[in-house]
């Protein structure tokens, strides 16, 4: 029987997690005590994804069975409504209400929208999917294990409170690009919810964290894996943020139509009107939006944009003039609507608007290439865009006849092409370095952009001085085997050497402490941060003797091994080889806006845990990234 931790768990623990999440100088305090120990991950069984059969619902609240579908224990998704009527006919309660004479007046009925009329008379369908086609919520996500997802049953036996704290305690931005990538993979994986947690709550938390990370497309995909009939208020809110983040306004309509009375705010009312317009009720939608504007239910700019969007669905289109005068700030709603209708947003509102708008812009296909490229650096730096995605953007710009060829972006596109097709190695390297800009402070996003061009450079003593940024560039895309070709060129104790010893797929033997000391002596980073991260990464990967690591840690004035509450949890998760839980807890430890918020001790535990559960590639890339960005 597993030993329970001593302190109890109460409602205040999640608030404590949220309060401590900002304290990045001490990541060990991000999770409170009182959680059950991680349990071993059940051995996965290859099974087709279950689909709920058509079963007549029973009385009582809807429940979801998480057991596999068998003749003895079918997966049943009870259907709200009145039997086989699918909730679309009047119930006895509706008839009783009508018989009582408690009806609106004719004037009131005439003023009501179609949604309100349907709700009054009980005519609104409660479920929009035929019963035979409804999906079970036993597993939710878009990445199966065979597609790169983490094991489906990873969290099934875990404490619901621990999982809730690990997800809700994460406020979004990661200091590590590779940390962002592994967390996105963990959240998008096809997973069973903890047994003590409602699957809809589990899905809602994952979608909300993806939203906070700027991963709106991934968040929308996970939301779409859940039938809208099963959307809870929290799942609905998180999903709508994802739809707005991708400017896919109409995509939210199935849920909006089913849950018409769930919210009363102006954004929800505008969504209802837009959805009515695209359901064939264009005139009623226009009247609803005008009513919102006259009542002051939303800012005029938002309603005008909604009218423009809804008008595109009607047969009788009316001109709507968008005036930005007096608008002092952007919101996700007006940003999404403006992009969806092709309305140009004044640059004064875009300048300094915040990371959210760059994240949304970088992946918005309806926007022009210059705008997306301007936002690509942030998205590439954070891990939202891959190196290939960034290269594709610049490649499209290079072949776009409508682009201003004198712009900085067009110049960068030409230089990127030169980095691949230059006449000789010197020419290609010079193009790469031009893209990097200042050699003393290279933007990490430009290292991502040049990853594959750097990998095409043949190792040479002539380029030894540029080996470190070339290697760092390759490793942003995980090109570790290309990087290893430089093993015979770099000198021991240099930054290029440090990148190789942390990223090598295999490393025979142990790193000599003297080599680490040599690197530390040459390290010019603030507070010897690179040297500290190098030691933490090597110790986490088991590539340096523990006794030697302890001695070096003392010389560098850091502590790697003293346990903390957070490190105890991630170590226990690693001990039972639970990849999903390790990834979630690693995400908690990597929150922040810069590597100055990461401690060597947290890095050691993250790298060690990932390596022990079989995510060694991610562990090596995070260790190398810490050295490159420290």
């Amino acid at each position: 029987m597993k030993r329970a931790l001593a302190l109890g768990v109460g409602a205040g623990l999640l608030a404590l997690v949220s309060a401590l999440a900002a304290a990045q100088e001490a990541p060990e305090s991000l999770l409170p005590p009182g959680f059950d120990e991680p349990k071993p991950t059940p051995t996965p069984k290859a099974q087709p994804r279950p689909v709920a059969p058509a079963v007549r619902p029973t009385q009582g609240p809807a429940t979801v069975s998480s057991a596999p579908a068998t003749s003895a224990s079918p997966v049943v998704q009870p259907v709200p409504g009145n039997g086989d009527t699918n909730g679309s006919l009047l119930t006895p309660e509706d008839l009783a209400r009508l018989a009582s004479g408690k009806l609106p007046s004719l004037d009131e009925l005439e003023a009501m929208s179609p949604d309100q009329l349907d709700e009054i008379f009980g005519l609104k369908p409660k479920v929009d999917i035929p019963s035979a086609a409804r999906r079970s919520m036993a597993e939710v996500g878009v990445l199966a294990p065979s597609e790169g997802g983490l094991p489906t049953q990873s969290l099934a036996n875990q404490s619901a409170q621990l999982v809730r704290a690990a997800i809700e305690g994460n406020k979004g931005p990661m200091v590590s690009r590779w940390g962002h990538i592994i967390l996105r993979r963990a959240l998008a994986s096809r997973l069973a919810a903890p047994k003590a947690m409602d699957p809809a709550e589990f899905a809602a938390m994952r979608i909300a964290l993806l939203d906070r990370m700027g991963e709106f497309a991934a968040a929308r995909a996970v939301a779409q894996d859940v039938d809208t009939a099963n959307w809870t208020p929290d799942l609905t809110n998180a999903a709508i943020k994802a739809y707005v983040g991708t400017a896919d306004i109409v995509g939210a309509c199935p849920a909006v139509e089913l849950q018409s009375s769930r919210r009363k705010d102006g954004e929800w009312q505008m969504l209802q009107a837009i959805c009515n317009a695209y359901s064939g009720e264009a005139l009623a939608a226009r009247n609803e939006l005008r009513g919102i504007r006259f009542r002051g239910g939303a800012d005029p700019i938002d309603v005008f944009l909604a009218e423009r969007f809804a008008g595109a669905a009607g047969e009788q289109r009316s001109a709507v003039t968008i005036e930005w005068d007096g608008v002092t700030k952007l919101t996700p709603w007006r940003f999404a609507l403006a992009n969806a209708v092709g309305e140009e947003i004044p640059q004064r509102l875009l300048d300094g608007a915040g990371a959210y708008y760059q994240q949304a812009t970088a992946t918005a296909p309806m926007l022009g290439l210059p705008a997306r490229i301007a936002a690509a650096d942030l998205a590439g730096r954070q891990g939202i865009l891959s190196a290939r995605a960034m290269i594709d953007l610049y490649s499209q710009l290079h072949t776009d006849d409508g682009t201003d060829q004198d712009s900085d972006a067009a110049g960068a596109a030409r230089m990127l092409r030169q980095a691949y097709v230059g006449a000789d190695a010197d020419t290609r390297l010079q193009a790469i370095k031009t893209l990097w800009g200042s050699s003393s402070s290279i933007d990490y996003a430009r290292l991502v952009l040049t990853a594959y061009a750097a990998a095409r450079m043949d190792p040479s003593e002539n380029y030894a001085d540029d080996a470190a940024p070339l290697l760092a560039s390759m490793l942003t895309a995980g090109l570790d085997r290309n990087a290893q070709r430089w093993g015979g060129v770099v000198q021991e104790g240099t930054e290029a050497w440090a990148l190789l010893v942390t990223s090598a797929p295999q490393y025979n033997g142990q790193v000599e402490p003297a080599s680490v000391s040599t690197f530390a002596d040459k390290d010019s980073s603030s507070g010897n941060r690179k040297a500290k991260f190098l030691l933490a990464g090597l110790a986490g990967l088991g590539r340096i003797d523990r006794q030697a690591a302890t001695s070096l840690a003392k010389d560098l004035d850091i502590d790697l091994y003293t346990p903390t509450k957070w490190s105890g949890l991630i170590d226990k998760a690693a001990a039972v080889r639970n990849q999903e839980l390790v990834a979630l807890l690693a995400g908690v430890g990597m929150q922040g806006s810069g590597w100055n918020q990461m401690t060597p001790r947290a890095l050691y535990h993250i790298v060690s845990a990932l390596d022990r559960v079989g995510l060694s590639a991610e562990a090596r890339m995070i260790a190398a990234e810490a050295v490159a960005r420290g």
Side-chain angles (χ1 to χ4, degrees), residues 83-167:
D84 293 332
T85 65
N86 201 27
S88 60
L89 299 181
L90 293 178
T91 64
E93 291 79 7
D94 295 325
L95 293 172
R97 179 161 49 84
L98 294 173
S100 69
K102 296 179 181 179
L103 291 173
S105 67
L106 288 177
D107 290 340
E108 290 173 329
L109 288 172
E110 289 179 355
M112 288 183 180
S113 69
D115 279 342
Q116 291 171 322
L117 289 171
D118 286 346
E119 190 169 343
I120 286 291
F121 291 103
L123 299 175
K124 177 176 286 295
K126 295 182 175 63
V127 178
D128 63 340
I129 303 174
S131 57
R134 291 174 204 147
R135 294 169 293 181
S136 166
M137 291 188 67
E139 299 170 5
V140 172
V142 294
L143 283 179
S146 61
E147 300 166 325
L150 300 185
T152 301
Q153 298 296 316
S154 296
L155 302 178
N157 293 328
Q158 300 306 320
S159 161
Q161 291 166 308
L162 172 58
V163 173
R164 186 178 294 111
I167 297 177

Side-chain angles (χ1 to χ4, degrees), residues 249-267:
I249 308 299
V250 179
C253 285
V256 173
E257 291 173 351
L258 286 174
Q259 305 175 32
S260 60
S261 62
R262 181 156 282 178
R263 284 169 46 179
K264 302 295 184 183
D265 57 277
E267 181 179 308

Side-chain angles (χ1 to χ4, degrees), residues 34-57:
F35 297 114
D36 296 336
E37 295 183 3
K39 299 176 176 63
T41 303
T43 302
K45 297 180 180 179
Q47 293 180 345
R49 188 173 184 181
V51 176
V55 178
R56 189 179 185 89

